[in-house]
Amino acid sequence: DKESLLDELTISVNDRGFVFGDAVYEVLRVYDGLPSVIEHHLQRLKNSLLATGIKHPKGIKEKIIENIKANNVTEGMVYVQISRGTAFRSHSYYGLDLTPTTLIYSVPFNKHPCKDRGDIDVSLKCNNTKSDLSYEHKDEPRCFKLWILRAPQK
């Protein structure tokens, strides 16, 4: 475990997430200093790790909460990225006992980036019916919260 400034972090050029995109990620919204629906996100992260065969690092929930507190984020986002790990470049990872590379970082979310633009309406919409969903996945909740950005038609 290592704490660093985000701009000071380095990653091996042999990390499978960097070389092959062999990784999973999860993004959580932070409200009042707490990660929103964290159990749902952790379950989805676990399912993604199982589906890809990437080892599940221990203590992710605690590390997420510690990261939010360490960065004094009251409103923001937490990014969790986990790659299979580092190994000499080979398409096959069969038989390799790799240690996952885990990156967790949080950033403040002071206001919506479009809030001050008069030509875009920012609203929240929740779709509850199957016919309203743009796609369906067994691990997704039945109610999606979607940011809808509407620009004026020209």
Side-chain angles (χ1 to χ4, degrees), residues 12 14-18 22 54 82-87 98-101:
S12 169
N14 286 320
D15 188 279
R16 292 187 57 84
F18 177 74
D22 188 7
I54 296 174
I82 303 171
S83 78
R84 189 174 307 279
T86 300
L98 302 179
T99 300
T101 301

Side-chain angles (χ1 to χ4, degrees), residues 95-121:
L96 298 177
D97 185 25
L98 302 179
T99 300
T101 301
T102 303
L103 172 65
I104 300 172
Y105 64 97
S106 54
V107 294
F109 188 75
N110 298 324
K111 63 179 181 177
H112 194 281
C114 297
K115 185 176 181 183
D116 294 333
R117 289 187 55 184
D119 61 337
I120 295 181
D121 174 30

Side-chain angles (χ1 to χ4, degrees), residues 10-75:
T10 58
I11 187 168
S12 169
V13 295
N14 286 320
D15 188 279
R16 292 187 57 84
F18 177 74
V19 176
F20 299 111
D22 188 7
V24 298
Y25 75 95
E26 193 68 32
V27 181
L28 298 86
R29 182 70 163 86
V30 177
Y31 295 99
D32 296 321
L34 298 171
S36 179
V37 293
I38 189 168
E39 296 304 328
H40 167 75
H41 286 285
L42 292 173
Q43 185 60 53
R44 189 165 58 189
L45 180 64
K46 180 180 177 181
N47 293 347
S48 296
L49 292 167
L50 285 170
T52 57
I54 296 174
K55 292 178 187 174
H56 192 298
K58 295 179 182 178
I60 293 292
K61 181 177 181 176
E62 294 77 14
K63 290 176 184 175
I64 290 170
I65 294 168
E66 287 172 18
N67 191 278
I68 293 168
K69 289 179 182 175
N71 289 296
N72 297 315
V73 175
T74 54
E75 302 293 324

